[in-house]
Every structure is written in C-alpha cells, then in structure tokens.
Amino acid sequence: MPAELRALGNDVRAADWPVRLAFRSSRTALLDTLCRWQTLRALAYVHLLAARTGDERLPVDLRVVPDPEAAGDPGLPELLARLEKAAAGLPADLLDTVVCDSGGLLADNRFAASVLAAGLTADSRPGDPDEAVSRAVVLTSYWYEVPGLRGALALAWSANLFVRSWLGWSQRFVYGDPAGGIGITSDPRPPRPAASALPEWAAPLLDRIEQGPGAAS
C-alpha cells in the first residue's frame, strides 16, 4: 500500500461526532447524515486502496471531514453520490462483511453501546479528554434513547473497523507477516441483519451484496 494512502487511512476514520445531546428530530436526522457520510467515506477509501484508480476527485472527497456544519453544505449531495458510487463498486463479499459486522452490534449485546462509542470516539481523534468523554456519552445516549439510529451508527462503526483492520494487516505485511491479515475475515461473522434494521440509505449497498460477486462494479 502506498505510504500516502496508508496515512490517509488515519484521517478518513475521523468524523466530528456531536458533543452535545439533543433529541430533536433535526438533530437525530443530522446524526443519521453523519453516519451515512462516514460509512460511505470509509468504504470509498477501501475502494481507493483496492482500485488505485477512479474518480480523480475521490482523494479530495475523502479528506472532507464529516461534521455538523459541513452537513449543511449545498454540495454535500453530490459529494455523497460520488462516495456512494465508489462504495457500491466494492466486491459484494467485502460489503457483506461490513454489513454483517454491523449486525454483531445490532444483535442482543449488552456491550454494544460502549464498544461503538469507544470505537467511533477514538477514531475521531478528539482534541482533549473532555471532548472524548462528551462524544462517547452522546453516542452512547443516542444508541439507547433513539433505537432507530442504531443501524446507521453500527454501519459507521463497522466501516471504520474494516479500514482499521486493513491498515493493521498492511502494516504487518510490510514487516514480513503476511499471515497477519488472515484475521480480517477468518473469524465467524454474525448473520447479516435484516434490511429493516438498517437505514434507508444502506439500500444501494444491500443491492450490491444481493447481486453477488459476478456483478459488474
């Protein structure tokens, strides 16, 4: 993996998750948008790693950090469309891995909220401990208090996890341990969650999974 792409992987997992809790519909819709953006962004990064070619704007798009203010930019729909195209161009089995891993959080797991909050908060690279605590508390609270957001949060967490795993494998490969990458997909995966447990914006990803490995990217 080129060094510049590996370095981008540390930035591409970061999103400015909320630090204040509010249950207004506008705020929950905003969090759903941030989850969609981050999920597609992480998956588009994997596409860039795998293909090394594509839309020349993709590396620039990947450097735009999802945050509440940027979510109101009039150019966001076009940016999301480009990210979605790259994400949906991934192999079906890879997308299925990400979706199934999200299902592990959506299953009856009493540690799901803490695992998700810790992962997304750490990936966001908070500036200080207070910011980290605020983000973790807010994400945990949304998980418990707004069940309809769980699918979106789980997908963002799972997409980031796959990027982290890929980067870890790449690092071990560089230092002479190619077998270290086997752990990315060798563990038994949770079953794929029902489409009803996932946000509507996940439909193109699920369609790609259903098309199977023989479909054109």
Side-chain angles (χ1 to χ4, degrees):
M1 185 192 303
E4 64 273 14
L5 284 185
R6 185 183 300 113
L8 179 57
N10 293 323
D11 296 329
V12 84
R13 303 196 315 272
D16 288 338
W17 302 108
V19 295
R20 292 181 177 82
L21 191 62
F23 293 117
R24 299 189 304 273
S25 59
S26 60
R27 299 303 293 179
T28 57
L30 172 61
L31 182 55
D32 181 75
T33 297
L34 293 178
C35 288
R36 178 190 179 197
W37 188 351
Q38 183 56 30
T39 300
L40 296 177
R41 183 174 177 236
L43 293 175
Y45 171 70
V46 176
H47 177 97
L48 185 62
L49 291 179
R52 307 285 175 85
T53 60
D55 191 326
E56 62 184 11
R57 293 170 294 185
L58 188 54
V60 176
D61 290 342
L62 292 174
R63 288 184 170 86
V64 182
V65 178
D67 67 55
E69 292 186 7
D73 190 299
L76 182 60
E78 293 183 5
L79 185 151
L80 290 177
R82 293 193 295 271
L83 294 178
E84 184 177 276
K85 180 179 179 181
L90 286 167
D93 55 352
L94 188 152
L95 288 177
D96 197 32
T97 296
V98 173
V99 172
C100 287
D101 282 344
S102 75
L105 286 188
L106 296 173
D108 185 14
N109 182 347
R110 59 178 175 166
F111 301 112
S114 56
V115 168
L116 177 134
L120 290 181
T121 297
D123 285 340
S124 73
R125 303 163 76 181
D128 57 63
D130 289 341
E131 182 180 353
V133 169
S134 295
R135 283 183 177 169
V137 168
V138 168
L139 290 170
T140 301
S141 298
Y142 276 121
W143 180 271
Y144 283 122
E145 300 298 331
V146 190
L149 282 174
R150 290 180 184 177
L153 287 165
L155 282 173
W157 172 86
S158 183
N160 271 16
L161 175 64
F162 193 90
V163 170
R164 196 182 313 121
S165 298
W166 191 312
L167 292 173
W169 167 78
S170 173
Q171 191 70 20
R172 289 191 293 270
F173 189 90
V174 167
Y175 289 103
D177 181 21
I182 293 174
I184 293 178
T185 56
S186 63
D187 292 337
R189 295 200 302 268
R192 189 190 314 161
S196 59
L198 300 173
E200 292 183 4
W201 51 259
L205 306 181
L206 298 178
D207 288 345
R208 176 68 186 96
I209 292 170
E210 291 299 328
Q211 291 170 12
S217 300

